[in-house]
Amino acid sequence: MPGRIIEGLRTVGVNNPVFLLDEVDKLNRGVHGDPAAALLEVLDPEQNHSFVDHFVNIPFDLSQVIFIATANSTSTIPSALMDRMEVIHVTGYTQEEKVEIAARHLIPKQLHHHGIAPDQMEILTDTITQMVVHYTREAGVRNLERQIGAVCRAAAVKIASKAANLPIIVDLSALEEILGPIMFDRDVSEMLSRPGVATGLAWTSTGGEITFVEATKMSGTGELVLTGQLGDVMKESAQIALNWIRSNDHRFGLQCGSLDKVDIHIHFPAGAVGKDGPSAGVTIVTVLASLFSGHCVRSDIAMTGEVTLRGQVLP
């Protein structure tokens, strides 16, 4: 909105305040112009000493102002704007931190919002952990608070209808009855119970995640099939991994044989989510080695890194 910078300065009454620009990764061009282009002049230390607000046509020195911008992802921020900022990556909450935040802040807040006294309902620690692990997947706690609110609403109905004895204890069985079956299954050992499957590490805007890579072989014409909405870089990594396995199969006793009559299919689950980058190379090599050797990959190991044609793993 035009004039907001000068309006904020007038509100605080000082020339060296701290401005918080929330979610700059969601800037969109509108009828008033491109806000990203306007921020270039505001954030550039070589220009903001003579900043001119074209809406009120008043020059002002912004060199004493500190601007702090937040974003969930840097991929949608224009490169010119990124060049004017220093990027500080903040990690998401760990599982233990989310459990403590829920117990100390989110649950009391939701109990108050739903008119439930603290002595009328209790959510067990194991239940909170279950919600964090199997009902949410995020860097923050927004969806966790939403799930806690759903539990509180279910308890409020029972309290209002006097259909349960007080206090209401929300255990694991009661949680599944309220929220339904688990949404995110993280049983890695079951996924890796057969050859041709390995675990990789991936970075997302909601935090670090593990991802499974699957491979299978069948009679065919030597074709390499890649599925899972992969980008060009990841497709090249798969081809490099396959060529390295073919050229070094004798060193590891792999039964590659003649691949001219074998099709290889490599799949990255969660096909609705686009994936790209070279860091899946070592995982693909491990998947193919497991497929041709017939040995399962250990379930307690996840990997990430680019692989070269010489077999070197790059960070």
Side-chain angles (χ1 to χ4, degrees):
M1 182 176 179
R4 290 299 300 271
I5 299 293
I6 298 300
E7 178 64 23
L9 291 169
R10 190 185 68 84
T11 300
V12 298
V14 295
N15 67 344
N16 59 346
V18 177
F19 274 86
L20 177 62
L21 308 175
D22 193 23
E23 297 188 341
V24 294
D25 55 328
K26 297 178 176 60
L27 292 175
N28 292 315
R29 182 187 298 270
V31 295
H32 298 292
D34 187 2
L39 284 177
L40 291 177
E41 184 180 355
V42 172
L43 300 180
D44 192 344
E46 300 297 329
Q47 302 181 48
N48 61 8
H49 59 83
S50 57
F51 170 74
V52 176
D53 188 314
H54 296 290
F55 186 72
V56 294
N57 208 24
I58 297 177
F60 193 86
D61 182 9
L62 297 179
S63 60
Q64 302 300 316
V65 180
I66 296 178
F67 293 94
I68 300 177
T70 66
N72 293 324
S73 174
T74 58
S75 59
T76 58
I77 301 178
S79 57
L81 186 59
M82 280 283 295
D83 188 52
R84 267 75 173 180
M85 298 186 291
E86 178 182 353
V87 180
I88 301 175
H89 293 282
V90 180
T91 59
Y93 297 121
T94 64
Q95 175 181 319
E96 292 76 13
E97 290 172 337
K98 290 181 180 180
V99 172
E100 287 298 320
I101 291 172
R104 298 184 186 183
H105 304 287
L106 302 183
I107 293 177
K109 176 182 176 181
Q110 290 299 319
L111 290 177
H112 175 73
H113 284 177
H114 292 84
I116 302 175
D119 58 349
Q120 290 181 317
M121 189 185 85
E122 178 184 357
I123 302 179
L124 302 179
T125 303
D126 291 343
T127 306
I128 302 175
T129 304
Q130 182 81 346
M131 280 193 286
V132 171
V133 175
H134 293 296
Y135 288 92
T136 62
R137 180 168 291 180
E138 57 182 344
V141 292
R142 183 174 300 170
N143 288 327
L144 177 60
E145 183 175 7
R146 188 176 294 115
Q147 301 289 10
I148 294 173
V151 173
C152 290
R153 286 190 292 274
V157 172
K158 293 183 178 180
I159 295 173
S161 61
K162 298 181 180 180
N165 297 325
L166 300 180
I168 296 177
I169 306 298
V170 182
D171 55 13
L172 296 180
S173 59
L175 181 69
E176 185 171 354
E177 180 182 349
I178 296 171
L179 299 182
I182 61 176
M183 300 179 182
F184 305 103
D185 188 5
R186 300 185 180 181
D187 189 359
V188 179
S189 59
E190 182 179 352
M191 293 288 295
L192 301 179
S193 60
R194 51 163 292 180
V197 184
T199 308
L201 297 173
W203 179 91
T204 68
S205 59
T206 60
E209 292 288 349
I210 61 172
T211 179
F212 297 101
V213 183
E214 305 170 346
T216 186
K217 57 182 179 179
M218 67 213 79
S219 299
T221 59
E223 183 181 2
L224 175 62
V225 181
L226 302 172
T227 55
Q229 198 179 151
L230 309 182
D232 293 337
V233 177
M234 190 168 286
K235 292 178 181 178
E236 294 174 357
S237 296
Q239 189 64 60
I240 291 173
L242 177 59
N243 291 340
W244 186 86
I245 287 290
R246 295 179 63 181
S247 61
N248 293 273
D249 58 347
H250 59 284
R251 294 172 52 189
F252 304 100
L254 303 179
Q255 302 298 323
C256 294
S258 177
L259 294 181
D260 295 336
K261 299 180 180 180
V262 176
D263 286 348
I264 299 175
H265 186 171
I266 301 176
H267 176 63
F268 289 75
V273 181
K275 310 170 190 69
D276 202 5
S279 59
V282 65
T283 310
I284 301 175
V285 168
T286 306
V287 165
L288 294 175
S290 172
L291 178 66
F292 290 118
S293 66
H295 296 294
C296 296
V297 180
R298 288 177 51 174
S299 61
D300 58 347
I301 292 179
M303 60 207 78
T304 180
E306 180 183 358
V307 169
T308 69
L309 283 175
R310 294 176 294 168
Q312 294 182 334
V313 180
L314 305 180

